Amino acid sequence: MAKIKGIELIKDGKRLDGRKPFETREVEMKVGIIPNANGSAMVRFGKTTAIAAVYGPRLLLPKHLQEMDKAIIQCRYNMAPFSTDERIKPGTSRRELEISKVVRLALEPVLFLENYPKTTIDVYVEIIQADGSTRVTSVNAASLALADAGIPMKDLVVALSGGKINGQLILDLNGIEDNNSEADVPMAFMPNKKHITLLQMDGELKHEEISKLINEMFKAGEIIYKKQIEALKNRYSE
Amino acid sequence: MRANYILKLLEKDERLDGRKLDQFRPIAVEKGVIERAEGSARVKIGKTDIIAGVKMEIETPFPDTPNEGTLKTNIEFAPIAHPDFSPGPPSEDATEIARVVDRGIRESNSIDLEKLCLVEGEKVWGVFIDLHVINHDGNLIDASSLASVAALMNTKIPKYEDNKIIRTEFVGKLPVLHTPINVVVSKILDKYIVDADKEEEEVVDAWLSVATREDGYVCAMQKGGSKALSLKDIDYMIDLSSKKSKELRKHL
Amino acid sequence: MKEKETGVREIAYPGQVLGDKKEFLPGVGTYEEDGKIISKFLGILTKSGNYVSVVPLSGVYIPKPGEHVIGIVTAVEKVGWVVDINSPWESFLSLSEAVDEFIDVKRVMLNRYYDEGDIIYAQIASAKRGDVQLSMRGPSCKKLKDGVLVKITPTKVPRLIGKEGSMINLIKEKTGTMIRVGQNGVVWISGEKVDKAIVAIKKIDEKSHIYGLTEEITKLLSD
């Protein structure tokens, strides 16, 4: 299906915000921003800002949801009413429900849950400003919040988006690119072994374009990974 | 967990964190934190952390005020903010806070709503204040009120052309005439305190929220808590609240 | 003599490769994969002997048999008490683990022993699959009266206690207080300068990752 055409999103190799195709926006990460939570983090890609909080492990109720030998993960992705141009009415949309699920699945493979029978680890993500790539921003924030909460993890989870605009493959789509792209591919992976834990795609791409994008996302992911490590260490600086 | 200790300290006019009874925790107000909202502010009072975002939308006016814009205040107890907050429809407490803040702004005629009329009886600007709690450590009313007014003062009206809102262009600032500030005074035993934190709120007997305008007029009140208050209490609490509102207004 | 270390201790993060299995042994807070020792936690990296370990800087309390905890009685039931031990799981103190004499539960109200809101210093008798049983049989187990409770991160309890109790004794001495520390991160304080003791305890909780903490606390308490 062809998306809205006619918007020139890339000119002389530069995107509307001046970025090169495989350049990410300015990335900011901060760990430990919510004193009440067991773990928390803020991650910003350009204007897109996600705040994640982890509560737990805590006893899961009602009882019939409990697993006898491990914790379960519950995840909620939510957009603040003022996060986009048009106000979002409070309440969960189908889109938010789906994203909540893929974010949870992106995190689950890295967690050691067996020490926490009958409990839940609740991961809440609030998008306080949205300008594209909100789900991958959420995954980065949740990865940091889980580490901050002292949950045992195999690895961190790094996430970013790729896509295609005006026939050119790009990384880290902003809002206008997201809305007018020929394809967008959000991805999350465990940096140590490059195991992919989230992969979605919308649009039209050839197989080799997908492979090329994934490789570029692995490369740029290294920078995001370093940012995560830095943010975790900064939590305990002075 | 430390209720008795709090009470014991109060008898000596002392508080857990060393504050005086009429002393606020450190306050920080940051305006324009959400670029995509027409107005916004983040307020921290101690560890309480809240973001107010203002969105401007086209609405149909109410039949009895066909030439006035509309105002709606909503608060989300986001589950990130406290272990007891869970996703779902707003609780009784959340609704009360939204309404208390809303009334302060509405009744003080804070916004010149007549200036927000586009086509009488058909189209007016709707001002939506959405409060998002990031961390809850008590005194959400004062923090919400301060954040709302700061966000309103920071709000710009987008251009409206050919039945479309053009959010990248603005025709001017939101006409803010007054700055009502809510300050809750809480009574515990026979002591009055301001800016109760979460632990203190759990032992509060009664509280009074008073919204005071910059010209000294009181424009909204709400009594809460399970114990009753005397006229003497109320007199004292209004005085203290109005006095403290001047201090808070300096942060706008 | 070893040079005095200052600044921040070495912080490890989840997924960080800490060393090779050929050189080191995996300690607590680590796991092995493909011959590598990898951190599970955001925590303080420690090497002792051949062991590499990571002590988490945050996390909930996981009860282990034999450990002492401070709990709050939340419910009095027919044959025992439900106790909040600052852990994801509730714990249960059964009558037989609490009282030596024979009690006819049909005639005696159990709240004459422990009532709702009471604070107890107890021992974990067993902890299996989220089923936690307490005991009051140990010589140091008792009801704690007239004190103030403070919570710290459970993983930082060893730091609060210090080598052979050095840190906690320092606080007790300088503030004229009695202090009991539960492995679950709940601390009970009673006596003269409770507020000062609380400030010191919170400081240790916040700053457990720096070197020279003892000096800082000494300074804080001498002011």
Side-chain angles (χ1 to χ4, degrees):
Chain A
M1 195 191 77
K3 296 227 174 167
I4 309 160
K5 291 277 160 68
I7 294 186
E8 202 174 26
L9 293 167
I10 194 155
K11 200 180 169 186
D12 304 329
K14 287 265 173 84
R15 293 150 76 175
L16 289 182
D17 56 9
R19 277 187 289 157
K20 286 181 228 136
F22 294 135
E23 193 179 337
T24 58
R25 289 172 285 183
E26 187 199 19
V27 179
E28 186 190 349
M29 299 187 184
K30 209 168 172 217
V31 177
I33 54 158
I34 301 174
N36 281 343
N38 295 89
S40 60
M42 182 281 295
V43 171
R44 183 175 66 79
F45 278 66
K47 287 182 190 166
T48 297
T49 310
I51 293 180
V54 169
Y55 284 92
R58 54 183 175 183
L59 198 65
L60 176 62
L61 293 170
K63 260 191 163 168
H64 72 263
L65 297 174
Q66 295 176 353
E67 297 267 357
M68 295 314 284
D69 52 1
K70 66 181 179 72
I72 68 157
I73 308 291
Q74 299 188 99
C75 185
R76 187 185 89 141
Y77 162 101
N78 181 61
M79 291 180 86
F82 47 73
S83 62
T84 54
D85 278 350
E86 201 174 319
R87 177 178 184 262
I88 299 169
K89 289 204 178 87
T92 308
S93 66
R94 281 161 55 85
R95 174 183 169 275
E96 285 168 318
L97 268 181
E98 189 220 331
I99 295 179
S100 300
K101 182 176 176 178
V102 298
V103 169
R104 169 169 62 81
L105 294 175
L107 303 166
E108 244 171 20
V110 300
L111 302 170
F112 291 100
L113 301 171
E114 62 278 0
N115 276 337
Y116 310 101
K118 300 181 185 173
T119 64
T120 172
I121 297 170
D122 293 326
V123 180
Y124 299 121
V125 186
E126 299 289 330
I127 301 296
I128 61 165
Q129 180 152 244
D131 188 22
S133 306
T134 60
R135 75 191 66 193
V136 290
T137 310
S138 301
V139 172
N140 287 307
S143 162
L144 291 174
L146 285 161
D148 184 36
I151 312 284
M153 299 164 84
K154 267 197 178 110
D155 203 350
L156 297 168
V157 183
V158 163
L160 75 165
S161 66
K164 189 178 174 184
I165 51 171
N166 301 139
Q168 170 70 51
L169 296 180
I170 57 161
L171 292 183
D172 185 24
L173 284 69
N174 65 22
I176 187 164
E177 291 170 339
D178 203 354
N179 291 334
N180 300 290
S181 65
E182 285 140 53
D184 72 276
V185 186
M187 178 174 108
F189 65 98
M190 299 151 72
N192 265 346
K193 295 201 142 187
K194 298 218 169 23
H195 286 172
I196 294 169
T197 62
L198 178 152
L199 185 66
Q200 293 181 290
M201 187 243 172
D202 277 330
E204 293 170 349
L205 285 178
K206 287 192 189 121
H207 186 159
E208 55 269 29
E209 287 178 315
I210 296 172
S211 309
K212 164 92 175 138
L213 257 187
I214 291 177
N215 271 317
E216 289 298 333
M217 285 196 273
F218 278 147
K219 260 194 247 166
E222 285 298 321
I223 303 163
I224 295 162
Y225 183 41
K226 288 210 175 81
K227 287 258 180 196
Q228 284 201 17
I229 294 166
E230 193 186 305
L232 288 171
K233 293 199 165 175
N234 280 343
R235 169 85 158 100
Y236 297 99
S237 48
E238 16 51 90
Chain B
M1 184 165 93
R2 292 192 284 178
N4 289 331
Y5 187 52
I6 293 174
L7 298 178
K8 229 162 84 184
L9 286 175
L10 272 178
E11 280 171 16
K12 300 185 281 177
D13 286 350
E14 285 172 15
R15 297 170 79 171
L16 275 181
D17 55 4
R19 278 187 289 156
K20 296 193 188 83
L21 300 192
D22 66 348
Q23 190 184 353
F24 267 76
R25 291 167 288 178
I27 299 171
V29 178
E30 196 186 344
K31 286 188 200 169
V33 291
I34 310 290
E35 281 176 69
R36 299 204 84 178
E38 279 71 49
S40 61
R42 185 168 187 167
V43 166
K44 289 183 189 170
I45 302 183
K47 285 181 184 165
T48 288
D49 185 354
I50 199 159
I51 296 177
V54 177
K55 290 306 296 182
M56 301 293 290
E57 300 290 345
I58 301 298
E59 296 282 300
T60 313
F62 293 109
D64 53 340
T65 52
N67 63 337
E68 286 184 13
T70 61
L71 167 71
K72 195 172 180 204
T73 309
N74 168 67
I75 189 166
E76 177 111 8
F77 280 8
I80 57 168
H82 194 273
D84 294 343
F85 289 175
S86 53
S91 64
E92 205 178 83
D93 286 347
T95 309
E96 182 185 28
I97 292 174
R99 287 182 56 82
V100 166
V101 172
D102 188 278
R103 285 217 309 279
I105 293 163
R106 194 179 298 275
E107 301 305 323
S108 67
N109 295 310
S110 171
I111 307 167
D112 190 352
L113 292 173
E114 285 185 19
K115 292 237 169 81
L116 300 180
C117 180
L118 293 163
V119 182
E120 190 171 325
E122 281 178 34
K123 266 183 204 168
V124 296
W125 281 112
V127 182
F128 290 86
I129 304 173
D130 282 290
L131 293 151
H132 223 67
V133 185
I134 305 297
N135 190 68
H136 174 23
D137 189 23
N139 199 10
L140 290 178
I141 291 182
D142 295 6
S144 300
S145 153
L146 193 59
S148 300
V149 176
L152 288 175
M153 290 172 74
N154 173 252
T155 300
K156 289 182 285 184
I157 303 174
K159 198 168 169 185
Y160 184 67
E161 207 175 57
D162 303 328
N163 296 322
K164 260 200 226 138
I165 302 175
I166 301 159
R167 305 230 184 225
T168 47
E169 290 175 53
F170 301 94
V171 296
K173 292 182 80 172
L174 184 74
V176 177
L177 304 173
H178 298 291
T179 52
I181 299 290
N182 269 290
V183 174
V184 172
V185 177
S186 302
K187 193 183 175 199
I188 305 175
L189 306 170
D190 59 344
K191 306 283 182 185
Y192 307 97
I193 63 165
V194 299
D195 187 29
D197 65 22
K198 189 78 174 55
E199 260 187 295
E200 290 172 332
E201 277 182 352
E202 276 155 31
V203 295
V204 163
D205 295 319
W207 54 264
L208 186 71
S209 161
V210 180
T212 312
R213 223 156 64 172
E214 69 288 349
D215 55 10
Y217 277 94
V218 171
C219 39
M221 293 202 291
Q222 180 95 343
K223 188 255 168 210
S226 54
K227 298 258 169 74
L229 293 170
S230 70
L231 178 58
K232 205 181 120 231
D233 288 328
I234 306 271
D235 278 340
Y236 185 87
M237 290 161 106
I238 293 176
D239 261 357
L240 179 55
S241 174
S242 293
K243 196 182 113 202
K244 296 311 278 188
S245 75
K246 285 184 198 149
E247 216 177 284
L248 262 65
R249 192 170 286 107
K250 287 183 193 148
H251 291 274
L252 286 175
Chain C
M1 225 175 86
K2 206 171 135 193
E3 211 175 309
K4 201 177 147 241
E5 286 167 303
T6 54
V8 179
R9 287 160 185 270
E10 194 174 345
I11 309 275
Y13 54 86
Q16 183 179 349
V17 177
L18 304 172
D20 204 290
K21 190 74 197 302
K22 285 177 201 134
E23 285 174 79
F24 297 102
L25 292 165
V28 292
T30 69
Y31 73 100
E32 288 176 57
E33 198 171 68
D34 306 335
K36 299 263 190 289
I37 299 165
I38 302 171
S39 174
K40 277 187 184 179
F41 291 104
L42 177 63
I44 296 169
L45 181 66
T46 52
K47 284 178 184 162
S48 104
N50 284 330
Y51 281 93
V52 195
S53 323
V54 176
V55 180
L57 281 154
S58 61
V60 297
Y61 174 64
I62 302 177
K64 288 181 197 71
E67 286 182 347
H68 284 87
V69 295
I70 294 173
I72 304 170
V73 177
T74 55
V76 184
E77 303 207 326
K78 277 202 176 126
V79 290
W81 299 264
V82 181
V83 184
D84 173 1
I85 52 161
N86 189 37
S87 159
W89 308 279
E90 276 183 334
S91 66
F92 193 73
L93 172 63
S94 67
L95 190 54
S96 61
E97 287 293 336
V99 186
D100 274 333
E101 59 207 273
F102 172 79
I103 290 158
D104 183 354
V105 288
K106 284 190 191 118
R107 288 162 191 268
V108 179
M109 298 279 280
L110 289 194
N111 60 8
R112 62 186 267 196
Y113 299 98
Y114 300 107
D115 205 353
E116 222 178 283
D118 279 354
I119 298 162
I120 57 170
Y121 186 74
Q123 198 168 18
I124 306 285
S126 68
K128 266 183 219 145
R129 294 188 162 227
D131 174 23
V132 184
Q133 299 288 328
L134 294 181
S135 170
M136 294 297 282
R137 291 189 172 279
S140 57
C141 294
K142 62 187 266 195
K143 196 191 284 189
L144 300 172
K145 286 176 189 160
D146 305 321
V148 179
L149 294 185
V150 182
K151 278 187 196 176
I152 65 161
T153 315
T155 56
K156 294 176 185 170
V157 165
R159 201 90 171 100
L160 173 61
I161 292 169
K163 272 201 188 99
E164 285 151 20
S166 58
M167 188 72 95
I168 202 73
N169 288 336
L170 175 73
I171 301 172
K172 284 183 194 169
E173 211 173 282
K174 296 262 181 189
T175 59
T177 52
M178 291 193 290
I179 303 178
R180 283 213 184 203
V181 184
Q183 290 296 321
N184 57 339
V186 181
V187 184
W188 175 90
I189 316 157
S190 171
E192 237 177 279
K193 296 179 193 155
V194 171
D195 13 355
K196 208 158 190 191
I198 294 176
V199 171
I201 290 166
K202 293 224 154 150
K203 181 110 185 171
I204 294 164
D205 192 19
E206 273 165 37
K207 297 280 178 185
S208 68
H209 58 284
I210 61 163
Y211 287 110
L213 191 59
T214 315
E215 287 82 354
E216 258 198 49
I217 297 299
T218 311
K219 212 176 133 222
L220 182 93
L221 292 172
S222 306
D223 287 345

